[in-house]
Amino acid sequence: MVYPSQKIYEQMDPLINRGLSEQGVFQTENRVRRKDATLLWCLVSGRAIDRHDLARGTIWTIADITQRKETEAEVLQTGVVRHQRPIPILLFNFFATFLAFPLRPLRLRRWV
């Protein structure tokens, strides 16, 4: 996978380097181009092994979020979610102690 254009690559490179060297992490949602030239949305997350010495390496994960982005665009355009499925949620407290696994879907009204 590559960036859709050289211009986007040139814009992202300094942002990635700054994020990795200052915070040790970088995360973005970007469009990327597959080998067959199709575009998809990805959540790209990187972590520096040593933020003071990026030459020691980085660890990256890339997740395809195309379906989520398409659903977000549909909701923004229509205000309706048509393909909503319940998502199982494990609840933990601050100390990572397991609290519950709801047997029925939860409706999240707001983030606290």
Side-chain angles (χ1 to χ4, degrees), residues 6 21 23 28-29 34 37 42-43 47 62 67-69 80-82 85 93 101-102 104 107:
Q6 182 68 25
S21 61
Q23 286 91 32
T28 187
E29 294 179 0
R34 287 186 176 150
C42 284
L43 173 64
R47 177 173 294 275
I62 302 171
Q67 185 176 3
R68 190 196 87 201
K69 296 299 267 186
V80 177
V81 178
R82 284 191 269 175
R85 293 181 287 170
N93 66 10
F101 182 81
R104 60 184 175 80
R107 177 169 288 187

Side-chain angles (χ1 to χ4, degrees), residues 82-97:
R82 284 191 269 175
H83 304 291
Q84 188 174 18
R85 293 181 287 170
I87 301 171
I89 299 174
L90 298 175
L91 301 176
F92 293 88
N93 66 10
F94 180 75
F95 301 103
T97 304

Side-chain angles (χ1 to χ4, degrees), residues 1-4 8-9 11-13 15-16 26-33 39-44 62-66 68-69:
M1 292 185 289
V2 296
Y3 288 100
I8 293 173
Y9 171 78
Q11 291 172 345
M12 293 302 299
D13 193 49
L15 297 175
I16 293 169
F26 178 79
Q27 185 171 17
T28 187
E29 294 179 0
N30 259 8
R31 299 219 55 186
V32 295
R33 186 175 307 280
L39 291 174
L40 69 144
W41 280 99
C42 284
L43 173 64
V44 180
I62 302 171
D64 183 347
I65 58 170
T66 304
R68 190 196 87 201
K69 296 299 267 186

